[in-house]
């Protein structure tokens, strides 16, 4: 697994890339929430009041790196994430700032 530090406007997160055969499981964790690729069920995390959002690639391909995750577009956000200001259509970078 590859990890990398992410800093956006003073907000610190850790990005993770876990190779799974031909694909990567990509996500970033902040102090309060999670931003993940399409493999994550962010609605299930809402059962634990854990703020989370899922992004899709802005280029039409798959999310394979932390950069792809940050440049991606939020396609799903759970209720806990919405309460923090995360909305569908914002970039992953914008979502990290809210999470």
């Amino acid at each position: 697994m590859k990890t990398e530090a992410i800093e956006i406007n003073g907000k610190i997160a850790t990005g993770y890339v876990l190779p799974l055969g031909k694909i990567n499981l990509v996500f970033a964790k902040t102090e309060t929430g999670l931003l993940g690729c399409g493999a994550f069920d962010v609605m299930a995390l809402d059962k634990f009041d854990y703020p989370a959002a899922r992004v899709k690639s802005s280029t039409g391909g798959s999310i394979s790196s932390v950069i792809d995750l940050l440049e991606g577009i939020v396609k799903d956000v759970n209720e806990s994430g919405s309460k923090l200001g995360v909305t569908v259509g914002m970039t992953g970078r914008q979502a990290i700032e809210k999470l």
Side-chain angles (χ1 to χ4, degrees), residues 11-91:
K11 183 80 171 194
I12 303 295
T14 304
Y16 299 88
V17 179
L18 177 62
L20 298 175
K22 295 181 181 181
I23 63 162
N24 290 334
L25 184 65
V26 183
F27 64 100
K29 183 189 169 304
T30 69
E31 286 186 24
T32 58
L34 178 135
L35 179 70
C37 68
F40 284 87
D41 183 353
V42 297
M43 300 311 172
L45 293 172
D46 210 24
K47 294 175 185 175
F48 304 101
D49 296 321
Y50 192 79
R54 178 168 52 174
V55 300
K56 64 180 178 179
S57 173
S58 61
T59 63
S62 63
I63 302 287
S64 61
S65 69
V66 170
I67 291 172
D68 290 344
L69 189 73
L70 297 176
E71 293 176 353
I73 305 299
V74 173
K75 70 176 190 173
D76 295 304
V77 58
N78 66 16
E79 185 178 339
S80 299
S82 292
K83 289 178 182 176
L84 295 177
V86 180
T87 60
V88 170
M90 67 176 27
T91 66

